[in-house]
Amino acid sequence: MSRPEGTRSARRSLQVKFVPDEDVLRHIADDAGTKVRKDKAQLSVSVKRFVKKLENISDNEAQEILEEKNYVAALGICAQDSVGNGSNISGGEVYSFQTPKRSNKMAELASELAQTPEKNVAPDHSRCPEKMAKTPQSKRSSSTKVQQRNKKKEFVSTTPYRLRKRLTAPDPYLESESEYSASCSEEEDEEDKKEVSTVSDQKTPAKTKAAYTPPPRNSLTKKIKEQKMSNLVEEYFEAHSSSKVLTSDRTLQKLRKRRFNQQTLHDLLKNAPLAYAAEIRDLNQQHETLFSKWMLQLHLGFNIVLYGLGSKRDLLEKFRTSLLQDSVHLVVNGYFPSITVRSILNSITEEVLDHIGTFRSPLDQLEFISKRFKEDSSLELYVLIHNLDSQMLRGERSQQILAQLSSLPSIYLIASIDHINAPLMWDQAKLSLYNWLWYETTTFNPYVEETSYENSLLVQQSGSLALSSLTHVLHSLTLNARGIFRLLAQRQLEKKDSPSYPGLSFQDFYQQCREAFLVNSDLTLRAQLTEFRDHKLIRTKRGADGVEYLLIPVDDSTLTDFLEKEDEDV
Amino acid sequence: MKMERCLSFVIYRPVLDHYFRSTSNDSEDTVLRFITCQSLWSQIKSETEQIQEDMNKQLLDNLVSFLSRSHSDFQEKTTEWTSRMKFREIPTAALVLGVNVTDHDLTFRGLSDVLQNNITPYVALLEAKDCPGIKNLMQKLMGQLMNCDIDVDSLEDEDCVQVSQNKIRCSMPSLISWYESVTKKTDSETPSEKRNSSSRHWQSPPVVVVFKDMESFTTKVLQDFIVISSQHIHELPLVLIFGIATSPMIIHRLLPHSVSSLLCIELFQSLSCKEHLSTIIDKLLLTSHFPFKLGEKVLQVLINIFLYHDFSVQNFIKGFQLCIVEHFYSQPLSVLCCHLVDIKKRVYSLSHDQCENIRRLPSFRRYVEKQESGKQIELLTNDSFLKEETEKLLEDLHVYHENYVSILRCLHVFTSSLPKYPLGKQIRELHCACLENQVWETNEYESSLQLARMLNKTDLVTMLQQCVEILVSSSGKEFDKTVKHLKEFLTQFQNLEASEASQEQDVSVSSQKELQKKTDLYHLQKTLLELKESRRSKKLTKFEMLRFEVVDYIDRLVRKYLVPAGDRTLHEIVYFNAATVLRGHLNAAPRTALHTALNNPHWYLKNEALKCDGGGISNKAPDICIVYKLHLECGRLINLVDWLEAFSTVVTAAEEPNGDAASSDQVDDIIHARFIRAVSELELLGFIKPSKQKTDHVARLTWGGC
C-alpha cells in the first residue's frame, strides 16, 4: 500500500540557507509556546511524535502492523454478531490440520472418543484392547527386548489407555518418533512465545499515549513467524521425502471382509437410519427461506454459489421444483464422470436454442450462444450445476467457458461446490465474470448421488462397470474373437502373482492361438487385435527388446469374474 | 443430464418484485421499495459510468492524438514515413492499466467506441485466450475487421463480404487485399457520402489491433505477428495497442530485441485504481444526492476487499449494489430511504404496521426516552403524530448529512496536510473514523489537533481559504455564519502581516547584522540559555494566539457537525450496517464453514447430544465428523483397516454403551457401509485420495502444524 506522496513531497523541496541564531531560537520558542498551552502529558506525546516524524524511521513497519490489525478487525466483524454461520474462526485454526505425533494416534483417539460420554463404560475398556490385540504384531518384534520392556512400562505407567501397549515400535520408528515429538515441543514453545508477543502487539494500534513500540519487537515477531514457517516446511518435506510409511501393514483382505458392490452398499445405507434427521431438516428449511432472495439476486445480475458441508443436491432440486417450473432451465450433474463442457454447451444450443449443426470449437459455440441470447432479450435460461468443482469441470478451460457463459445477462447460474480447494479454480478475471454471491448452505445431507460414481477403494465398483462393458463388447464379436480374448485373459490370470509381468508377447500369443485353431495367419490375429484395441480391451506396449506385449488393462478379480461368466454362457 | 423444457417463455421483469415480497411480515410497501431500489441503483450506475468516462477522457484523448499522428504520416507519405518504412516500424501504444485486470474491459470498450467514432472503423480487440496460435489470431483479427466493415457499409455488401469471410484464407496478403478494396470503395463513393465519411474518418484509416492482455499472449504468437505485419506495414497502416497490467518492461521481456526494434512504442498511463476509487467514494458516498448511505463496518469491508484482494473498482461497485439490494430487501422501513421531496408523501402513507416498525427501531426508542412523558405517550400511541415527528426527524437527518459532508471535507483539508497523517491521508479513512464513533474522543484526533497548532501561517491561510470555498459551495444553509467567521480569521491574518511588516523593518536590520556576525556553537548555546531564563515570562505572539483560535474553532465545528451517524435518530432507515451479511456473500470462507461443520457439528445441528466441551467432539457426532477427526491423527498415509476399526470402536460405543462384546468380533456390515460412505465423502471434499503406494491405504491431502 504505497501511498503516493502527494502535496508533502512537493513542498519538501530542499533549500539550504544560512540560519541565524535568532531564527533557531524563534523556532524553539514556537515549540515552547505550544507546550505552554497544554498539560504535561500531552506535551511529551507531541514531542515524541515530532521527533519520530523527523527521524522518519521504521514507522512504516508500525503502520503496516496497524493496517493489518485494521484489516483483521474489519474482517472479524462476524465475531461480534454471530449470525449462525461458523465463520468466526481464525485462519490459523482452520489451516492447522493436525499432523501425526505417533503412529497409532487414531486408535487412541477412537478409544478416547468411545469412552467420553458416559463414564461408566467399563465393558468397553476390556473389549477395546482385546480387539486391538488381534492386530498382527509379529512383524514388529525386531526391537530388542530391553527396549520393548522399557517402552511397555513407560506406557502402562503414564497412560490410562491400554491401547498404547500396542506401541512397541522397532528402532527406526522410535527414532523418527522422537524426532517428531522434539520438533513438536519446540513448536509449542514458539507458539507460546508468539502468543505473548501478539498480546503485546495488540496494544500498539491503540497507542499514542502508550509508549511507542520499538521496532525490534516487530522484527522479533516476524522472525518467530518465519521460523515457525520454515519449521513447518521442513516437517512437510521430512514426512514426504522418505518413502517409508509409518502405518500398519494390515489389509482389508486379511480382515476377511467381502467388498460391497454399489448396490449392496446402497441397500445397507438405506436401512441405516440417518442420524439427526430432525435437526438436518430444520437446517434445510432455514436454507429454503432464501429461495426468493436467490431468485431476486439472480435477476439482478449476480450468480449464486453454494458451499458448506453436505450434499446440496436436494436443496437445489427443491429450488428448481418450487421456483423454476415455469421457466427454461438446465440441470447439470457435474459429479457425473463423463460430463464435459461441450455436452453442456451442446444441450444449450440443441435443446434450448433448437439449433441443428455442429461447431468447430467450444469457443465458437459460446459465441453463437451469446449472440443468440443478446439478439433475443426474451430468452432466459437458468443453469443449475451440481458440483461445479467436479473432476471433469474443474479444468481451467472449462471454467473459463462456464464463466463466460454465466456472464451473459440472461443466463442465470446457480451452482454448488464441495471441494476444500474449490475457490482456487478461479482467478480474478473468472471471479468477475462469474460475479458470485456466496451462500453458506451446510446441509449435513449425505452425498449419495455425488459419491456413487466415485471409484472408491472400498467399493467393488469399477469392476462391475468394466465387466459389463467387457461382456457387451465381446458378445458382439465372433466366436473366434472371443476365444482369442479368453486365451489372453487366461494367460494373464496365470501370471497374476508376478508383479513385473509385462504381458504376453505377440509371438507367443500367435503360437498359442494357432494351436487352438483360432487363427490361421498372423494377419488375421493382427486384425483382431486392432479391433480389441479400438474397444480399449487390450493395451500393447513395446518392451525393451522391441517385442510387442499384450495386456488386458482390467484388474484380476474382474477378469476372473469375466471368465466365470463366460464359462457359464458356453 | 436432465433437461426440462416448457412451451412458453415467462417474462420475469414484472414478477420480480414478487421475490421481494416474501421477505418480511408486511407486504404493502414491497413494490414501492423495489421500485425505489431499482431507480436508486440505476442512478448510481449511470453516475459511476459517467465517472469512469470522465476519468478515462484524458487517456483516450492522448491515444486518439497519437493514432492520428501515426496515421497522418501514412496519409501524406512524407519522408519521415518512408524512412520509417525502411525500418519497418509499427507504431505501437503501450497502455499501462494497472493490476486491476477486471476493470480493463470497461476501459477497452470505451476505447474502441472512441476510436470507431473518431479515427477508424477498423478496430480489432484480441484476447490471449482466443489466440493460442498465430492462425487463430489472424482468424480472429480478420473476422472482427470484416464484421466492422459490415457495420460501416450498408447492407448491400453484406452477402459478398460474408461469402469471402467464410472461405477466405486467413493470411496477411488477403488482409491487405481486403483493406485495399475497402479503401478504394470509399474513394469511389459519391462525393456527398465521401465528405460525410471523411468528416469522421480519414481517407485511408489505420487498422488498430488491440491486445487486451499482452502478458498472457504466448511469446511466439506475438513475435510472429509483429514480424509478419512489419513486412507489410507499407501496404497496411497498422497500429498496435498493448494492454499492460504490470509494467512496460514486460514488452522487452516478452519480445527479443530483434522483434521489439520493429515497434515504435509510445507509453500511456491510465489513472491508478486508487484514485478511481477515491473519486467513486467522493461522488457516491460523500454527497447528499443519494439518500442511501453505508455504515462504517460495511464501508470498511468494501474498502478492505478492494485494498487487500483485487484493486477492482468494478467489484467495489458491485458490492455497493449488493448493499443497496440487501438494505431494501431486509429493511421494511427502507421505503423512506428516498429523496427529500418524496419523504412527506411516503411518511403519510405509512401503514400502522410500518409505524410499529418505526417504534421498534432502537434509535427511535432512545429518542422517545429522552422526550417528556406526554410526548412519549403521543409518540407511542398516536400514528399521525408519529408520522409528523418522523418526517421532521428525517429532514433533520438530511440536513445533518449535508452539513456532515462539508465539515468532513474541511477537516480533511487540515488533516491531510499534517505530517504522518494521524487521521489518514484519504478522505475515506477520515469518513470511516467519523462514522465509527465520536472522532474527537480518539487519540488520533487529539494528536492531529496538536499538530495543527504547529502549522505555519501560509499553510494555515491556504487551508482556511479552501475551507471557505468548500463551505460556500456546499448546499447546507447553516454555514453563512461559519463562512463569515472564517473570513474574519483570514482578514486578521492579513492584518497580522501588515503589522508584522512594520516590525520586520528593525528585525531585518538586526538580522543583517547577525549575518555579518559569525555564528558559533558557543554563542548559540549562550543565547539559548538566556532564552530559557526568559521563557516563562514570554508572551505568545499575536500569530500564535490567532492560530489557537482557528484550531479551536475548527474543533468546535467538528464537535457540532461530525456526530457519528449511529447516534442520529432513525439512522437505520438510510444506513446499511449488516457488514456480516455483505462479507459472507462477497468474501466467503468455504473452508471455514467446512471446518466448523466437521469439528463442531453442534454449531449447525442444535442437538444436546452433540454438545461437547472444549475442542473435542462427542462420539455421537455424524459419521463424517468422526471419520474426519480420526483421520487428523494420521500421517501422510492412512491404513483403511485401522481407520475402519477405530471408526467402528467409536460408533459401537456410541450406539450401545454396554452392548455385548461378542457380536462386535467382526465389523458390522452397516457400520462398514457407513464408513465407506464417510470416507468417500471425505474424498469428495478433497481431504484424502486413493493411494497406490501401499495396499488399502489412502493419502492425506492436508497438512498443517501440530
Side-chain angles (χ1 to χ4, degrees), chain A residues 65-77, chain B residues 304 308 583:
Chain A
I65 287 170
L66 190 83
E67 274 172 13
E68 215 169 284
K69 278 275 139 62
N70 281 342
Y71 176 59
V72 171
L75 287 187
I77 283 165
Chain B
N304 280 333
Y308 293 91
R583 209 195 130 214

Side-chain angles (χ1 to χ4, degrees), chain B residues 147-163:
Chain B
N147 268 334
C148 60
D149 187 29
I150 296 171
D151 291 341
V152 168
D153 286 342
S154 52
L155 283 166
E156 57 189 331
D157 301 330
E158 192 177 354
D159 41 11
C160 87
V161 173
Q162 219 140 55
V163 167

Side-chain angles (χ1 to χ4, degrees), chain B residues 141-199:
Chain B
L141 175 66
M142 294 186 70
Q144 286 196 23
L145 288 178
M146 290 173 181
N147 268 334
C148 60
D149 187 29
I150 296 171
D151 291 341
V152 168
D153 286 342
S154 52
L155 283 166
E156 57 189 331
D157 301 330
E158 192 177 354
D159 41 11
C160 87
V161 173
Q162 219 140 55
V163 167
S164 64
Q165 196 193 335
N166 281 341
K167 58 182 182 182
I168 207 157
R169 274 182 57 240
C170 298
S171 64
M172 216 61 193
S174 56
L175 187 64
I176 289 162
S177 63
W178 163 81
Y179 181 76
E180 271 168 3
S181 71
V182 167
T183 41
K184 216 170 273 165
K185 217 186 289 167
T186 26
D187 283 343
S188 61
E189 271 168 4
T190 51
S192 66
E193 250 184 314
K194 190 178 174 183
R195 204 183 307 130
N196 198 5
S197 66
S198 63
S199 64

Side-chain angles (χ1 to χ4, degrees), chain B residues 103-135:
Chain B
D103 294 351
H104 294 177
D105 248 7
L106 223 61
T107 317
F108 282 121
R109 218 176 300 150
L111 174 68
S112 78
D113 284 350
V114 166
L115 291 184
Q116 283 183 336
N117 287 336
N118 298 324
I119 304 276
T120 167
Y122 312 120
V123 180
L125 294 157
L126 297 177
E127 270 178 282
K129 63 173 193 290
D130 297 335
C131 312
I134 184 79
K135 200 175 144 205

Side-chain angles (χ1 to χ4, degrees), chain B residues 321-336:
Chain B
Q321 183 194 5
L322 183 66
C323 292
I324 296 173
V325 174
E326 276 290 328
H327 181 69
F328 281 89
Y329 181 85
S330 55
Q331 174 63 266
L333 285 170
S334 58
V335 70
L336 297 178

Side-chain angles (χ1 to χ4, degrees), chain B residues 201-219:
Chain B
H201 309 303
W202 284 276
Q203 248 176 356
S204 47
V207 175
V208 179
V209 181
V210 183
F211 294 84
K212 278 183 171 182
D213 41 354
M214 198 243 186
E215 283 98 334
S216 352
F217 276 89
T218 35
T219 326

Side-chain angles (χ1 to χ4, degrees), chain A residues 21 30 75 84 98 113 134 239 242 247-248 250 252 276 279 293 330 420 435 438 440 447 454, chain B residues 3 318 326 419 519 544 583 585 603-604 607 619-620 636 639 642 665 681 683 685 696-697 700:
Chain A
D21 286 359
D30 262 8
L75 287 187
Q98 282 173 11
L113 278 174
K134 278 184 195 149
S242 68
T247 53
S248 66
R250 300 194 296 159
L252 286 170
Y276 307 109
E279 283 82 6
K293 198 172 177 183
L330 175 72
I420 40 168
N435 205 8
W438 299 72
E440 185 189 332
Y447 294 96
E454 238 175 300
Chain B
M3 165 68 51
K318 170 194 156 188
E326 276 290 328
T519 317
E544 282 157 4
R583 209 195 130 214
H585 291 334
W603 186 277
Y604 295 97
N607 191 311
N619 57 10
K620 292 201 174 61
R636 184 160 56 100
N639 187 322
D642 287 348
D665 179 45
E681 281 175 358
E683 190 183 339
L685 293 175
D696 290 333
H697 274 66
R700 263 188 77 174

Side-chain angles (χ1 to χ4, degrees), chain A residues 87-99:
Chain A
S87 40
N88 54 353
I89 293 171
S90 71
E93 233 175 292
V94 179
Y95 289 95
S96 68
F97 298 99
Q98 282 173 11
T99 38

